Amino acid sequence: MEYETIIGLEVHAQLLTRSKMYCGCSADYAAAPPNTHVCPVCLGMPGVLPTINRQAVEYTIMTALALNCTVQVNTKFDRKNYAYPDLMKGYQISQYDAPFGTEGWLTIEADGQKKRLGIIRVHLEEDVAKLTHRAATPAEAFAHRTRASEEAYSLVDVNRAGAPLMEIVGCPDIRSPEEARQYLVKLRTILQYLGVSTGNMEEGSFRCDANISLRPMGTQELMPKVEVKNMNSFKAVYRALEYEVERQKKVWDTCERVVQETRGWLEEKGVTVSQRSKEQAHDYRYFPEPDLPPLVVGREWVDAIREKLPELPEDRRDRFVREYALSAYDAGLLTGSKAMADYFEACVKEAGVPKTELTKKAKEIANWLLGEFIRLLNVSNIEINTSKIRPKALVELLKLLEQGKISSTAAKTVFEEMFKTGKPAAELVASLGLAQLSDAGELARLVGEVLVKNPQAVGDFKAGKEQAIGFLVGQVMRATRGRADARTVGELIKARLAG
Ligand code: ZN
Ligand code: MN
């Protein structure tokens, strides 16, 4: 049977505010010892009163606008009641029926076509404490009078409790794990462009839960959905969804029913496992938060925020095409990451070329970024903004290449060394002995040697086999350790053999 995959994603993003959502505690606790960024409000002591973080509201409205949402002017906060050890108050102050943003969308490219994926809502709430689950050591088990060393215990760190958290709920418009991945990448890019969140999934500042169900192709009925949790990378989301598609297919194919439940992704095993079924589903007993007044967002405020919105990924891509004459494809790749786009523009600025040479230079820089640079970044798994090669250093390398001081082969070697060591290009060219072989006599001598040593290839070339030239050029390049210009070498060989 053919099935259609239906996926909807819920994303929680931590906001980059200075203080927490409802109290004055610093939200910059990443490097702080546990339980040092706390006060009676975020500890949930009785009788305390929360206040609303204006910057968090502004960030949420910015996001709602960037995601093409309708911004609600009359909003309020609601209490979501549930008991869990990471929730100090026993309730979370969230938004229920009056979120800041509703009915928006973002676009992805699926099979070369633009596809619009709906956003149901964007709302603001608070984060919970961080639990660390541990197995007890024998000594700890003894100290705590527990019976076995397997007896687990949990550590609570309240620093994160009360940090502003923005929730973005997507429509079930996603039809494949690949579309889900693209949705997340696009959403994260938008948040990074807005500067409202780091969007770092591995660090937990950008978290995703996925709802997934399958239905027979061509039908409209919605089947029981499974919520998948515990995915902390884009790759994990993709793998977990792929796994669920296959698992649910098998269940339907054997004429059983998929159970509506929450499942957790186990990264090491590459499987999802049942966590809780529908019968245990929560009833949150939402009611308006009595400690906070309704929040009326003035139209003028929304307009002012709209005015201040920074350039977004698609606008920047279009501008790159316009300003630097890059292809839409290259411009899309560069602007897909704010850090990469910033780096590109920093290089262009650093190069300081006249207008007439701008597009040529921009293309050259783009080729390096999207070729060698991305390759090395991927291999070493780092972001371009933390790379040891700064824009100025890359531009210096390109200058050496342009002035013919190094060959393009040598430039790649130097680039790799720069990436590893952060040393300037000129210094590495000298220490690695990679200065271009500009002595015409020396080069001619090497070409002569190679021709004598390879009579077979010479014969092939003379017999009309054009490809033989590539082999000969390669041999000369090897003899010069990549210091010659391959095109010059090719011309020299041709001239020799023609004579
Ligand atoms: Zn606090
Ligand atoms: Mn939530």
Side-chain angles (χ1 to χ4, degrees), residues 450 453-454 456-458 466-478 493:
V450 165
K453 273 190 206 157
N454 298 282
Q456 174 80 47
V458 171
E466 280 285 327
Q467 315 94 287
I469 194 97
F471 171 78
L472 292 167
V473 170
Q475 292 303 306
V476 176
M477 291 305 283
R478 235 173 80 183
I493 293 175

mmCIF file of all heavy atoms in Angstrom, residues 450 453-454 456-458 466-478 493:
data_model
loop_
_atom_site.group_PDB
_atom_site.id
_atom_site.type_symbol
_atom_site.label_atom_id
_atom_site.label_comp_id
_atom_site.label_asym_id
_atom_site.label_seq_id
_atom_site.Cartn_x
_atom_site.Cartn_y
_atom_site.Cartn_z
ATOM 1 N N VAL A 450 60.162 15.452 -18.202
ATOM 2 C CA VAL A 450 58.926 14.660 -18.169
ATOM 3 C C VAL A 450 58.646 14.056 -19.551
ATOM 4 O O VAL A 450 58.245 12.893 -19.668
ATOM 5 C CB VAL A 450 57.735 15.530 -17.688
ATOM 6 C CG1 VAL A 450 56.406 14.856 -17.981
ATOM 7 C CG2 VAL A 450 57.869 15.806 -16.188
ATOM 8 N N LYS A 453 60.863 11.098 -20.116
ATOM 9 C CA LYS A 453 60.534 9.955 -19.262
ATOM 10 C C LYS A 453 59.234 9.272 -19.658
ATOM 11 O O LYS A 453 58.955 8.166 -19.218
ATOM 12 C CB LYS A 453 60.418 10.435 -17.803
ATOM 13 C CG LYS A 453 61.745 10.447 -17.066
ATOM 14 C CD LYS A 453 61.495 10.683 -15.580
ATOM 15 C CE LYS A 453 62.685 11.329 -14.910
ATOM 16 N NZ LYS A 453 62.277 12.031 -13.686
ATOM 17 N N ASN A 454 58.399 9.945 -20.457
ATOM 18 C CA ASN A 454 57.090 9.378 -20.774
ATOM 19 C C ASN A 454 56.832 9.266 -22.270
ATOM 20 O O ASN A 454 55.898 9.890 -22.795
ATOM 21 C CB ASN A 454 55.988 10.220 -20.116
ATOM 22 C CG ASN A 454 56.096 10.215 -18.592
ATOM 23 O OD1 ASN A 454 55.701 9.261 -17.934
ATOM 24 N ND2 ASN A 454 56.684 11.281 -18.052
ATOM 25 N N GLN A 456 55.531 6.953 -23.980
ATOM 26 C CA GLN A 456 54.209 6.388 -24.298
ATOM 27 C C GLN A 456 53.164 7.500 -24.434
ATOM 28 O O GLN A 456 52.464 7.595 -25.428
ATOM 29 C CB GLN A 456 53.800 5.417 -23.185
ATOM 30 C CG GLN A 456 52.393 4.866 -23.322
ATOM 31 C CD GLN A 456 52.313 3.730 -24.331
ATOM 32 O OE1 GLN A 456 53.123 2.798 -24.322
ATOM 33 N NE2 GLN A 456 51.365 3.814 -25.248
ATOM 34 N N ALA A 457 53.097 8.367 -23.398
ATOM 35 C CA ALA A 457 52.112 9.452 -23.407
ATOM 36 C C ALA A 457 52.388 10.427 -24.552
ATOM 37 O O ALA A 457 51.468 10.929 -25.201
ATOM 38 C CB ALA A 457 52.135 10.196 -22.075
ATOM 39 N N VAL A 458 53.665 10.688 -24.791
ATOM 40 C CA VAL A 458 54.032 11.584 -25.887
ATOM 41 C C VAL A 458 53.559 11.000 -27.213
ATOM 42 O O VAL A 458 52.957 11.685 -28.045
ATOM 43 C CB VAL A 458 55.563 11.827 -25.906
ATOM 44 C CG1 VAL A 458 55.977 12.573 -27.174
ATOM 45 C CG2 VAL A 458 55.995 12.610 -24.674
ATOM 46 N N GLU A 466 44.099 13.420 -27.313
ATOM 47 C CA GLU A 466 44.173 14.695 -26.595
ATOM 48 C C GLU A 466 44.348 14.514 -25.086
ATOM 49 O O GLU A 466 45.015 15.301 -24.427
ATOM 50 C CB GLU A 466 42.912 15.528 -26.867
ATOM 51 C CG GLU A 466 42.918 16.279 -28.210
ATOM 52 C CD GLU A 466 43.825 17.509 -28.196
ATOM 53 O OE1 GLU A 466 43.932 18.138 -27.122
ATOM 54 O OE2 GLU A 466 44.429 17.808 -29.235
ATOM 55 N N GLN A 467 43.733 13.431 -24.542
ATOM 56 C CA GLN A 467 43.744 13.249 -23.076
ATOM 57 C C GLN A 467 45.157 13.066 -22.538
ATOM 58 O O GLN A 467 45.408 13.323 -21.365
ATOM 59 C CB GLN A 467 42.921 12.026 -22.628
ATOM 60 C CG GLN A 467 41.573 11.864 -23.265
ATOM 61 C CD GLN A 467 41.688 10.952 -24.484
ATOM 62 O OE1 GLN A 467 42.216 11.364 -25.511
ATOM 63 N NE2 GLN A 467 41.197 9.729 -24.373
ATOM 64 N N ALA A 468 46.053 12.609 -23.379
ATOM 65 C CA ALA A 468 47.414 12.330 -22.917
ATOM 66 C C ALA A 468 48.072 13.572 -22.331
ATOM 67 O O ALA A 468 48.911 13.494 -21.444
ATOM 68 C CB ALA A 468 48.250 11.784 -24.067
ATOM 69 N N ILE A 469 47.635 14.744 -22.772
ATOM 70 C CA ILE A 469 48.226 15.994 -22.287
ATOM 71 C C ILE A 469 47.992 16.161 -20.792
ATOM 72 O O ILE A 469 48.856 16.624 -20.059
ATOM 73 C CB ILE A 469 47.680 17.214 -23.074
ATOM 74 C CG1 ILE A 469 48.530 18.464 -22.820
ATOM 75 C CG2 ILE A 469 46.252 17.531 -22.702
ATOM 76 C CD1 ILE A 469 49.537 18.709 -23.877
ATOM 77 N N GLY A 470 46.802 15.736 -20.336
ATOM 78 C CA GLY A 470 46.460 15.862 -18.911
ATOM 79 C C GLY A 470 47.441 15.098 -18.051
ATOM 80 O O GLY A 470 47.904 15.580 -17.015
ATOM 81 N N PHE A 471 47.781 13.891 -18.511
ATOM 82 C CA PHE A 471 48.728 13.058 -17.774
ATOM 83 C C PHE A 471 50.090 13.740 -17.692
ATOM 84 O O PHE A 471 50.703 13.817 -16.622
ATOM 85 C CB PHE A 471 48.845 11.696 -18.468
ATOM 86 C CG PHE A 471 49.950 10.845 -17.916
ATOM 87 C CD1 PHE A 471 49.776 10.162 -16.712
ATOM 88 C CD2 PHE A 471 51.171 10.738 -18.569
ATOM 89 C CE1 PHE A 471 50.790 9.378 -16.188
ATOM 90 C CE2 PHE A 471 52.196 9.962 -18.043
ATOM 91 C CZ PHE A 471 52.008 9.277 -16.841
ATOM 92 N N LEU A 472 50.515 14.297 -18.813
ATOM 93 C CA LEU A 472 51.833 14.939 -18.850
ATOM 94 C C LEU A 472 51.869 16.178 -17.951
ATOM 95 O O LEU A 472 52.840 16.395 -17.220
ATOM 96 C CB LEU A 472 52.198 15.306 -20.292
ATOM 97 C CG LEU A 472 52.457 14.077 -21.195
ATOM 98 C CD1 LEU A 472 52.492 14.470 -22.665
ATOM 99 C CD2 LEU A 472 53.756 13.379 -20.784
ATOM 100 N N VAL A 473 50.804 16.963 -18.003
ATOM 101 C CA VAL A 473 50.724 18.149 -17.135
ATOM 102 C C VAL A 473 50.821 17.707 -15.678
ATOM 103 O O VAL A 473 51.563 18.284 -14.879
ATOM 104 C CB VAL A 473 49.415 18.948 -17.372
ATOM 105 C CG1 VAL A 473 49.233 20.024 -16.302
ATOM 106 C CG2 VAL A 473 49.417 19.583 -18.760
ATOM 107 N N GLY A 474 50.098 16.640 -15.350
ATOM 108 C CA GLY A 474 50.106 16.110 -13.987
ATOM 109 C C GLY A 474 51.518 15.748 -13.538
ATOM 110 O O GLY A 474 51.917 16.028 -12.412
ATOM 111 N N GLN A 475 52.263 15.133 -14.448
ATOM 112 C CA GLN A 475 53.633 14.739 -14.124
ATOM 113 C C GLN A 475 54.522 15.947 -13.835
ATOM 114 O O GLN A 475 55.304 15.938 -12.892
ATOM 115 C CB GLN A 475 54.243 13.920 -15.291
ATOM 116 C CG GLN A 475 53.583 12.555 -15.480
ATOM 117 C CD GLN A 475 53.644 11.696 -14.231
ATOM 118 O OE1 GLN A 475 54.722 11.471 -13.676
ATOM 119 N NE2 GLN A 475 52.489 11.239 -13.764
ATOM 120 N N VAL A 476 54.353 16.987 -14.658
ATOM 121 C CA VAL A 476 55.147 18.210 -14.441
ATOM 122 C C VAL A 476 54.747 18.862 -13.112
ATOM 123 O O VAL A 476 55.603 19.291 -12.330
ATOM 124 C CB VAL A 476 54.978 19.208 -15.609
ATOM 125 C CG1 VAL A 476 55.730 20.504 -15.317
ATOM 126 C CG2 VAL A 476 55.456 18.584 -16.915
ATOM 127 N N MET A 477 53.445 18.899 -12.854
ATOM 128 C CA MET A 477 52.976 19.500 -11.598
ATOM 129 C C MET A 477 53.579 18.754 -10.406
ATOM 130 O O MET A 477 53.952 19.357 -9.400
ATOM 131 C CB MET A 477 51.443 19.455 -11.511
ATOM 132 C CG MET A 477 50.710 20.359 -12.499
ATOM 133 S SD MET A 477 51.217 22.094 -12.414
ATOM 134 C CE MET A 477 50.356 22.619 -10.944
ATOM 135 N N ARG A 478 53.654 17.449 -10.545
ATOM 136 C CA ARG A 478 54.221 16.654 -9.464
ATOM 137 C C ARG A 478 55.696 16.991 -9.266
ATOM 138 O O ARG A 478 56.161 17.146 -8.143
ATOM 139 C CB ARG A 478 54.056 15.169 -9.766
ATOM 140 C CG ARG A 478 53.335 14.471 -8.629
ATOM 141 C CD ARG A 478 53.006 13.063 -8.967
ATOM 142 N NE ARG A 478 54.141 12.167 -8.799
ATOM 143 C CZ ARG A 478 54.089 10.872 -9.105
ATOM 144 N NH1 ARG A 478 52.983 10.371 -9.623
ATOM 145 N NH2 ARG A 478 55.132 10.109 -8.905
ATOM 146 N N ILE A 493 53.956 22.306 -22.969
ATOM 147 C CA ILE A 493 54.039 20.941 -23.505
ATOM 148 C C ILE A 493 53.549 20.906 -24.946
ATOM 149 O O ILE A 493 54.200 20.337 -25.823
ATOM 150 C CB ILE A 493 53.218 19.972 -22.622
ATOM 151 C CG1 ILE A 493 53.865 19.852 -21.247
ATOM 152 C CG2 ILE A 493 53.116 18.602 -23.282
ATOM 153 C CD1 ILE A 493 53.065 19.016 -20.248
#
